[in-house]
Amino acid sequence: MKIEPMTDHTGAEVLGVDLSHPVTDDVRRALNEAFVAHRVLAIRRQSLPPAQVLQAVSLFGDVFPQHNTRFALPECPQIHYLSNQDRFPDGRRYIPGEGWHTDHSNDTRPPKATVLHAVTLPSRGGDTQFANMAAAYDALADQTKDRLAPLMAIHVYQSSHSARKLMALSEAGRERVPNAVLHPLVRTHPETGRKSIYVNPIRIEGILGLDHKEALPLLADLLEHATQDRFQYRHAWQPGDLVIWDNRCLLHKANGDYDMNERRYLYRVMLTGDVPR
Ligand code: SIN
Protein backbone atom coordinates (compact mmCIF):
# COMPACT_ATOMS: atom_id res chain seq x y z
CA MET A 1 0.00 0.00 0.00
CA LYS A 2 1.26 3.49 -0.89
CA ILE A 3 -0.01 6.71 0.74
CA GLU A 4 0.87 9.95 -1.06
CA PRO A 5 -0.08 13.40 0.32
CA MET A 6 -1.98 15.55 -2.18
CA THR A 7 -1.32 18.93 -0.52
CA ASP A 8 0.92 19.88 2.39
CA HIS A 9 -2.08 20.18 4.74
CA THR A 10 -5.05 18.07 3.55
CA GLY A 11 -5.65 14.96 1.49
CA ALA A 12 -3.69 11.84 0.57
CA GLU A 13 -4.26 9.20 -2.05
CA VAL A 14 -4.01 5.56 -1.16
CA LEU A 15 -2.96 3.04 -3.80
CA GLY A 16 -2.37 -0.67 -3.70
CA VAL A 17 -5.10 -1.81 -1.33
CA ASP A 18 -8.21 -3.78 -2.23
CA LEU A 19 -10.94 -3.24 0.34
CA SER A 20 -13.12 -6.01 -1.10
CA HIS A 21 -10.88 -8.42 0.86
CA PRO A 22 -10.02 -8.44 4.57
CA VAL A 23 -6.86 -6.41 5.34
CA THR A 24 -4.17 -7.11 7.94
CA ASP A 25 -4.04 -5.30 11.30
CA ASP A 26 -0.98 -3.37 10.05
CA VAL A 27 -2.88 -2.08 7.02
CA ARG A 28 -5.86 -1.16 9.17
CA ARG A 29 -3.60 0.76 11.59
CA ALA A 30 -1.79 2.52 8.73
CA LEU A 31 -5.11 3.57 7.15
CA ASN A 32 -6.43 4.95 10.44
CA GLU A 33 -3.18 6.84 11.14
CA ALA A 34 -3.24 8.26 7.61
CA PHE A 35 -6.88 9.30 8.03
CA VAL A 36 -6.05 11.32 11.15
CA ALA A 37 -2.84 12.74 9.68
CA HIS A 38 -4.21 13.74 6.25
CA ARG A 39 -7.93 14.31 7.09
CA VAL A 40 -9.05 13.19 3.61
CA LEU A 41 -8.07 9.83 2.15
CA ALA A 42 -8.87 8.96 -1.45
CA ILE A 43 -8.56 5.20 -1.63
CA ARG A 44 -8.28 4.57 -5.36
CA ARG A 45 -9.60 1.85 -7.65
CA GLN A 46 -12.20 0.18 -5.46
CA SER A 47 -15.32 -1.50 -6.79
CA LEU A 48 -17.49 -2.22 -3.78
CA PRO A 49 -21.15 -3.23 -3.70
CA PRO A 50 -23.03 -1.92 -0.62
CA ALA A 51 -22.24 -4.87 1.69
CA GLN A 52 -18.52 -4.51 0.93
CA VAL A 53 -18.69 -0.74 1.51
CA LEU A 54 -19.96 -1.52 5.02
CA GLN A 55 -17.14 -3.97 5.55
CA ALA A 56 -14.57 -1.45 4.29
CA VAL A 57 -15.81 1.42 6.46
CA SER A 58 -15.81 -0.83 9.54
CA LEU A 59 -12.00 -0.51 9.37
CA PHE A 60 -12.46 3.08 10.53
CA GLY A 61 -15.42 2.92 12.93
CA ASP A 62 -19.12 2.25 13.45
CA VAL A 63 -21.92 3.40 11.18
CA PHE A 64 -23.74 6.58 12.29
CA PRO A 65 -27.51 6.46 11.63
CA GLN A 66 -28.33 9.31 9.24
CA HIS A 67 -31.09 11.71 10.29
CA ASN A 68 -32.92 11.74 6.99
CA THR A 69 -33.73 8.17 5.94
CA ARG A 70 -35.14 9.26 2.58
CA PHE A 71 -31.90 8.39 0.76
CA ALA A 72 -31.32 4.95 2.34
CA LEU A 73 -30.68 2.08 -0.10
CA PRO A 74 -33.67 -0.29 0.24
CA GLU A 75 -31.40 -3.35 0.08
CA CYS A 76 -28.86 -1.96 2.60
CA PRO A 77 -30.39 0.92 4.63
CA GLN A 78 -27.18 1.73 6.53
CA ILE A 79 -25.89 3.05 3.22
CA HIS A 80 -27.41 6.11 1.65
CA TYR A 81 -26.96 7.40 -1.86
CA LEU A 82 -26.09 10.82 -3.25
CA SER A 83 -27.59 11.53 -6.63
CA ASN A 84 -28.10 14.52 -8.89
CA GLN A 85 -31.36 12.96 -10.15
CA ASP A 86 -33.51 13.77 -7.09
CA ARG A 87 -35.85 16.74 -6.97
CA PHE A 88 -37.51 18.85 -4.29
CA PRO A 89 -41.31 18.43 -4.08
CA ASP A 90 -41.64 21.65 -6.18
CA GLY A 91 -39.64 20.05 -9.03
CA ARG A 92 -36.31 21.86 -8.52
CA ARG A 93 -33.25 19.66 -8.79
CA TYR A 94 -31.67 18.75 -5.45
CA ILE A 95 -27.86 18.75 -5.37
CA PRO A 96 -26.95 17.22 -2.02
CA GLY A 97 -24.04 18.83 -0.18
CA GLU A 98 -23.83 22.16 -2.03
CA GLY A 99 -22.49 24.96 0.15
CA TRP A 100 -19.84 24.69 2.86
CA HIS A 101 -20.86 22.51 5.79
CA THR A 102 -19.84 19.77 8.19
CA ASP A 103 -22.11 16.74 8.45
CA HIS A 104 -24.92 16.41 11.00
CA SER A 105 -23.51 18.96 13.47
CA ASN A 106 -27.07 19.19 14.84
CA ASP A 107 -26.47 15.86 16.55
CA THR A 108 -25.18 15.72 20.14
CA ARG A 109 -22.41 13.44 18.81
CA PRO A 110 -21.83 14.43 15.19
CA PRO A 111 -20.24 11.82 12.91
CA LYS A 112 -16.44 11.80 13.03
CA ALA A 113 -16.17 10.86 9.38
CA THR A 114 -18.09 10.60 6.14
CA VAL A 115 -17.29 8.10 3.40
CA LEU A 116 -18.33 8.35 -0.24
CA HIS A 117 -17.77 5.66 -2.84
CA ALA A 118 -18.12 6.72 -6.48
CA VAL A 119 -20.51 4.55 -8.47
CA THR A 120 -21.22 6.82 -11.48
CA LEU A 121 -19.45 10.12 -12.14
CA PRO A 122 -20.01 12.89 -14.69
CA SER A 123 -17.34 13.12 -17.39
CA ARG A 124 -16.10 16.38 -15.86
CA GLY A 125 -16.79 18.51 -12.77
CA GLY A 126 -18.61 17.52 -9.59
CA ASP A 127 -15.48 17.91 -7.44
CA THR A 128 -15.76 17.96 -3.64
CA GLN A 129 -13.95 20.81 -1.90
CA PHE A 130 -12.52 20.52 1.60
CA ALA A 131 -11.31 23.30 3.90
CA ASN A 132 -8.94 22.57 6.78
CA MET A 133 -10.41 24.14 9.93
CA ALA A 134 -7.34 23.41 12.07
CA ALA A 135 -5.06 25.34 9.70
CA ALA A 136 -7.69 28.10 9.56
CA TYR A 137 -7.81 28.23 13.37
CA ASP A 138 -4.01 28.43 13.64
CA ALA A 139 -4.03 31.40 11.25
CA LEU A 140 -6.45 33.45 13.40
CA ALA A 141 -5.16 36.43 15.37
CA ASP A 142 -4.70 35.71 19.09
CA GLN A 143 -7.37 38.29 19.90
CA THR A 144 -9.90 36.41 17.73
CA LYS A 145 -8.92 33.08 19.31
CA ASP A 146 -9.59 34.62 22.75
CA ARG A 147 -12.95 35.97 21.58
CA LEU A 148 -14.05 32.58 20.18
CA ALA A 149 -12.82 30.46 23.10
CA PRO A 150 -15.93 30.69 25.33
CA LEU A 151 -18.54 30.78 22.54
CA MET A 152 -21.12 28.06 21.99
CA ALA A 153 -23.12 27.82 18.75
CA ILE A 154 -26.73 26.64 18.51
CA HIS A 155 -27.06 23.92 15.81
CA VAL A 156 -30.45 22.91 14.35
CA TYR A 157 -31.53 20.64 11.48
CA GLN A 158 -32.02 23.59 9.12
CA SER A 159 -30.74 27.07 9.96
CA SER A 160 -33.18 29.83 9.10
CA HIS A 161 -30.15 31.87 7.91
CA SER A 162 -29.00 29.26 5.38
CA ALA A 163 -29.37 29.90 1.67
CA ARG A 164 -29.17 26.14 1.09
CA LYS A 165 -32.37 24.31 1.93
CA LEU A 166 -32.32 20.66 2.93
CA MET A 167 -34.90 18.00 2.12
CA ALA A 168 -37.52 17.96 4.89
CA LEU A 169 -37.25 15.23 7.51
CA SER A 170 -39.87 12.51 7.63
CA GLU A 171 -42.10 12.46 10.71
CA ALA A 172 -40.04 9.60 12.21
CA GLY A 173 -36.89 11.63 11.51
CA ARG A 174 -38.33 14.69 13.26
CA GLU A 175 -38.96 12.59 16.37
CA ARG A 176 -35.40 11.22 16.42
CA VAL A 177 -33.49 14.43 15.69
CA PRO A 178 -32.82 16.89 18.53
CA ASN A 179 -34.45 20.32 18.17
CA ALA A 180 -31.21 22.13 18.91
CA VAL A 181 -27.78 21.30 20.33
CA LEU A 182 -24.94 23.46 21.59
CA HIS A 183 -21.38 22.95 20.38
CA PRO A 184 -18.25 25.05 20.92
CA LEU A 185 -17.23 27.34 18.04
CA VAL A 186 -13.72 25.99 18.52
CA ARG A 187 -13.37 22.26 19.09
CA THR A 188 -10.36 20.16 20.02
CA HIS A 189 -9.65 17.07 17.95
CA PRO A 190 -9.92 14.05 20.27
CA GLU A 191 -7.03 12.25 18.54
CA THR A 192 -4.54 15.03 17.65
CA GLY A 193 -5.37 17.60 20.35
CA ARG A 194 -5.43 20.33 17.64
CA LYS A 195 -8.04 23.06 17.77
CA SER A 196 -10.36 23.72 14.82
CA ILE A 197 -13.00 26.27 13.94
CA TYR A 198 -16.37 24.48 14.12
CA VAL A 199 -18.88 26.41 12.03
CA ASN A 200 -21.69 25.19 9.81
CA PRO A 201 -23.70 27.72 7.79
CA ILE A 202 -26.57 25.32 7.09
CA ARG A 203 -27.03 24.30 10.73
CA ILE A 204 -26.02 27.17 13.02
CA GLU A 205 -29.00 29.23 14.13
CA GLY A 206 -27.08 31.54 16.45
CA ILE A 207 -24.46 31.91 19.14
CA LEU A 208 -25.50 31.55 22.76
CA GLY A 209 -25.61 34.94 24.50
CA LEU A 210 -25.01 37.03 21.32
CA ASP A 211 -27.75 38.73 19.37
CA HIS A 212 -27.95 38.02 15.63
CA LYS A 213 -26.49 41.47 14.82
CA GLU A 214 -23.26 40.36 16.43
CA ALA A 215 -23.40 36.61 15.79
CA LEU A 216 -24.17 36.55 12.05
CA PRO A 217 -21.31 38.84 10.93
CA LEU A 218 -18.93 36.91 13.18
CA LEU A 219 -20.00 33.60 11.60
CA ALA A 220 -19.77 35.07 8.09
CA ASP A 221 -16.25 36.43 8.77
CA LEU A 222 -15.13 33.08 10.17
CA LEU A 223 -16.46 31.24 7.15
CA GLU A 224 -14.78 33.63 4.73
CA HIS A 225 -11.49 33.30 6.58
CA ALA A 226 -11.68 29.51 6.91
CA THR A 227 -12.53 28.74 3.29
CA GLN A 228 -9.68 30.69 1.69
CA ASP A 229 -7.91 28.78 -1.09
CA ARG A 230 -4.82 28.33 1.07
CA PHE A 231 -6.78 26.05 3.43
CA GLN A 232 -8.45 24.01 0.70
CA TYR A 233 -8.02 20.66 -0.98
CA ARG A 234 -10.26 20.10 -4.00
CA HIS A 235 -10.99 16.48 -4.78
CA ALA A 236 -11.44 15.65 -8.48
CA TRP A 237 -13.18 12.30 -8.45
CA GLN A 238 -11.79 9.28 -10.28
CA PRO A 239 -13.85 6.15 -11.04
CA GLY A 240 -13.56 3.74 -8.11
CA ASP A 241 -12.59 6.35 -5.50
CA LEU A 242 -13.59 5.65 -1.92
CA VAL A 243 -13.07 8.91 -0.06
CA ILE A 244 -13.18 9.24 3.73
CA TRP A 245 -12.88 12.61 5.48
CA ASP A 246 -12.65 13.89 9.04
CA ASN A 247 -15.69 16.04 9.92
CA ARG A 248 -14.05 17.12 13.19
CA CYS A 249 -11.59 19.41 11.44
CA LEU A 250 -12.92 20.03 7.91
CA LEU A 251 -15.72 21.76 6.08
CA HIS A 252 -16.69 20.36 2.70
CA LYS A 253 -18.96 21.14 -0.20
CA ALA A 254 -20.21 19.51 -3.38
CA ASN A 255 -20.19 21.29 -6.76
CA GLY A 256 -23.16 21.11 -9.09
CA ASP A 257 -21.06 22.49 -11.96
CA TYR A 258 -21.44 19.65 -14.47
CA ASP A 259 -23.86 18.63 -17.18
CA MET A 260 -27.01 17.56 -15.33
CA ASN A 261 -27.89 15.17 -18.15
CA GLU A 262 -25.01 13.12 -16.81
CA ARG A 263 -25.49 11.06 -13.68
CA ARG A 264 -23.49 11.52 -10.48
CA TYR A 265 -24.23 8.75 -7.99
CA LEU A 266 -22.23 7.77 -4.93
CA TYR A 267 -22.73 5.61 -1.86
CA ARG A 268 -22.53 7.49 1.43
CA VAL A 269 -21.90 6.32 5.00
CA MET A 270 -21.03 8.27 8.13
CA LEU A 271 -19.16 7.02 11.20
CA THR A 272 -20.02 7.72 14.84
CA GLY A 273 -18.13 10.47 16.64
CA ASP A 274 -17.70 12.14 20.03
CA VAL A 275 -19.33 15.08 21.75
CA PRO A 276 -17.36 18.10 20.41
CA ARG A 277 -15.25 19.70 23.18
C1 SIN B 1 -21.75 15.69 0.96
O1 SIN B 1 -21.86 16.81 1.44
O2 SIN B 1 -21.73 14.68 1.67
C2 SIN B 1 -21.69 15.54 -0.55
C3 SIN B 1 -20.36 15.81 -1.13
C4 SIN B 1 -20.36 15.57 -2.61
O3 SIN B 1 -21.33 15.06 -3.18
O4 SIN B 1 -19.38 15.92 -3.27
Side-chain angles (χ1 to χ4, degrees):
M1 183 170 75
K2 216 167 95 191
I3 299 175
E4 292 286 348
M6 294 194 282
T7 71
D8 61 3
H9 58 80
T10 308
E13 74 171 352
V14 182
L15 293 159
V17 64
D18 177 358
L19 297 181
S20 68
H21 296 295
V23 301
T24 63
D25 287 349
D26 282 351
V27 168
R28 181 191 180 120
R29 198 171 313 114
L31 285 170
N32 276 278
E33 283 171 8
F35 163 68
V36 172
H38 299 288
R39 301 170 189 88
V40 181
L41 293 184
I43 306 173
R44 305 285 196 196
R45 295 174 202 152
Q46 307 301 309
S47 175
L48 306 175
Q52 286 184 354
V53 171
L54 285 182
Q55 209 178 321
V57 302
S58 73
L59 296 172
F60 296 93
D62 299 323
V63 173
F64 172 100
Q66 306 216 20
H67 289 173
N68 200 336
T69 51
R70 181 189 294 264
F71 304 104
L73 299 184
E75 71 277 22
C76 187
Q78 282 178 297
I79 301 204
H80 285 217
Y81 70 86
L82 286 178
S83 166
N84 64 339
Q85 305 298 313
D86 284 318
R87 294 187 179 267
F88 285 106
D90 67 5
R92 279 176 305 127
R93 190 183 295 275
Y94 177 64
I95 302 294
E98 273 198 310
W100 289 108
H101 66 286
T102 176
D103 287 331
H104 283 52
S105 66
N106 60 317
D107 200 280
T108 46
R109 290 171 172 265
K112 74 167 184 177
T114 303
V115 183
L116 298 185
H117 182 34
V119 179
T120 308
L121 296 171
S123 48
R124 51 183 298 281
D127 298 351
T128 307
Q129 285 168 263
F130 297 94
N132 182 326
M133 296 295 108
Y137 176 80
D138 290 348
L140 289 172
D142 287 346
Q143 209 184 353
T144 311
K145 289 180 182 167
D146 291 344
R147 182 177 177 209
L148 299 182
L151 296 181
M152 302 292 286
I154 304 157
H155 295 245
V156 296
Y157 178 71
Q158 169 77 77
S159 166
S160 63
H161 314 296
S162 171
R164 178 184 156 210
K165 298 301 171 207
L166 299 168
M167 283 277 193
L169 285 170
S170 65
E171 204 175 307
R174 280 198 296 278
E175 276 164 26
R176 265 187 317 119
V177 175
N179 283 337
V181 297
L182 284 178
H183 292 311
L185 261 186
V186 173
R187 67 180 289 185
T188 302
H189 196 288
E191 292 178 76
T192 64
R194 264 184 95 179
K195 290 184 176 175
S196 291
I197 299 171
Y198 195 55
V199 287
N200 191 354
I202 59 165
R203 307 279 194 191
I204 293 185
E205 191 55 31
I207 297 177
L208 195 68
L210 300 192
D211 64 26
H212 283 344
K213 267 204 215 131
E214 197 178 348
L216 297 181
L218 172 62
L219 291 167
D221 288 351
L222 277 176
L223 186 69
E224 192 182 336
H225 162 79
T227 54
Q228 292 173 71
D229 286 351
R230 63 183 166 134
F231 304 129
Q232 283 194 38
Y233 162 64
R234 185 176 181 119
H235 185 70
W237 287 87
Q238 295 181 14
D241 278 354
L242 181 134
V243 172
I244 176 167
W245 67 82
D246 192 333
N247 285 312
R248 300 166 294 188
C249 54
L250 296 171
L251 290 183
H252 64 278
K253 73 169 183 166
N255 283 279
D257 59 354
Y258 49 94
D259 178 355
M260 288 296 152
N261 294 313
E262 295 190 281
R263 190 160 179 252
R264 184 177 187 271
Y265 184 96
L266 304 95
Y267 294 139
R268 181 172 198 266
V269 189
M270 298 191 290
L271 302 180
T272 56
D274 300 307
V275 175
R277 297 187 198 286

